[in-house]
Amino acid sequence: MSHFLPPSFLLSFPPHALQMFLVALSFAYFAKALSGSYMKSTITQLERRFDIPSYLTGVIDGSFEIGNLLVIAFVSYFGAKLHRPKIIAMGCVLMAMGTFIIALPHFLIGRYKFETSIRSSVNSTNNLSPCPARLLSPATLASVGCEGESNLSMWIYVFLGNVLRGIGETPVQPLGISYIDDFAREENAAFYIGCVQTIAVIGPVFGYLLGSLCAKIYVDIGFVNMESITISPGDARWVGAWWLGYLVAGVITLLSAIPFWFLPRSLPIPSDRGPAQCTPEQTSFIKDSPLLEHKYQADEPASFLEMAKDFIPTLKTLLGNPVYFIYLCVTIIQLNSLIGMVTYKPKYIEQHYGQSASKANFLMGTINIPAVALGIFTGGLLMKRLKLSIMGAAKFAFGTSLIGYFLSLFFFVMSCENAKVAGITLPYNRLFAANRSVFSACNSDCVCSDRDWDPVCGENGITYVSPCLAGCQTSTGSGKNTVFSNCSCAVAAGLSSGNLTASVGHCPHRDDCDRVFPYFLALSVITSFIISLGGTPGYMVLIRCIKPQLKSLALGFHTLSTRTLAGIPAPIYFGAIIDTTCLKWGQKRCGGRGACRIYNTTAYRIAYLGLTMGLRTVSFLLCILGFVLLKRHLRREERSAHQVANGGAELEVLRKEEVLASNSDQSLRTSTTDYNNTERETRL
């Protein structure tokens, strides 16, 4: 028979080829998850390096989904008909190229120059007086350091690189999973896919840890003398070696492409899946059965016009299922909340609790991501042990999400006061509390600029925007050891007297934040675990509420909708709302608004948490409607099943009657034959 492979063909496959493909696919999943999580860990670094607001970093983050959507339909349809391992290999190469392009701007633009009035410990001749007698004109300020500055915004390269990374990622999941499902034994396929998904969860852990490591390293490490750097990782002007992690992630992704080039296009079909297991009668039944005819002929080519004519009615049927439609709406809203929250969570930890980017990424990688992974695994295990029905799974997912929602409300009370910054969060003179100007009588002897951001910490525990605005007259030392003296504004504050000094950088973090932060971390881990418990049961509701023949279209349309309506817009509008809470914007060297230097802590907390919780509240209201529709759907299913069962019983009775009649006819024919034979013998 044609479906039996000759021995020579079998010998052309390397031994354990499927296991080799499984290892290669797991490594590819790890690589793409690592680079994706590393992108989210560099949000604040990209803002500061390219002097862009948060909504633009949201555009950059969402560009991955844009690239994915550009080719997902093409790859899903044509990829399955081509050499799937090689298509995945080409995708990994494109991902690596995109990751390298993201790092490219570092090598095209000049060295990072931050605002400072502190003389370098290396170049002691660069002695900038903290209290200048005159101020340079805006035109002069704009021209300083602008030579060689490209007119093209360098963040465009990061955007395009992330789009290319999204294009390359497209074939990995659909073609990889389908390859395993086609050539693995039926009892092993689910286990293999579970292994791949488990490895994928490890990727974000290493991605955030890589982000933590690179955020500690200065952006121009190896190109500048580190003794000349007067800022620390906790400073709002600090930029880590963001580009270094992309080079590491790009190399890992490129290595993941190598094994796929050596894997075969197809493998021998296991005996429990192939036609060899069926008898000729069963094979004939499969071909002749109208129910299975479509599946049997799935590989036969169809014209684009025929597929288009069939697609629209099928999609209408799918969206006409009210349970599926409500589930889709709920998922889109909840993913908007989740994606926006996860994208800016490290930044929230930095800005609200005064932690460095390195520590925020480290905590995400070592605490939050493992809690989510454990929750997903435990949820699937509980569903199997409890043997939940579709309604039971829906109630379980809703219950865990609701518990996590109520626990998340406690985040609102885990607040920190605004940092004490003179002229921004508190007035210079307490007698004029409404006055938030950085200019005061105490610094009127110095001609200061309100555009600079060069914070110093006074002995009174208050941060000043610059040594000039602190009224400091002299400075001693160099680099990070610079000390400013005769700071008249600190005296004017009335908190102390005498010759007050100021040191480089922000004042230490508030004590209230240090006490609250551990509770924030503990609650964050608990809520992440509880909410993720409902991930697997919720996904099973999607699969079970639709007809089997619509399952592929339902899952594909679900992925397309969530990426289009959640993955792309959520980081953008979350970033835009966060931008509205900025109190002090940095200035670009060539003029224009740069990255935010300090936020209103209270407004940031309300905007970030309020938007997250508001979206989840809307999703819960839709869930109530979904439960009503699901109950009706299940009742209809039960009635249909009951009618089918009754019809089957009637059919069985008729079948028995036919068998009895047939047996009677056969007995009659046998008796007649015996009688005739007896007659013949008698005649003889």
Side-chain angles (χ1 to χ4, degrees), residues 77 99 521:
Y77 179 72
T99 309
L521 289 179

Side-chain angles (χ1 to χ4, degrees), residues 516-529:
V516 170
F517 188 56
Y519 296 103
F520 168 82
L521 289 179
L523 185 61
S524 179
V525 171
I526 294 171
T527 53
S528 298
F529 174 78

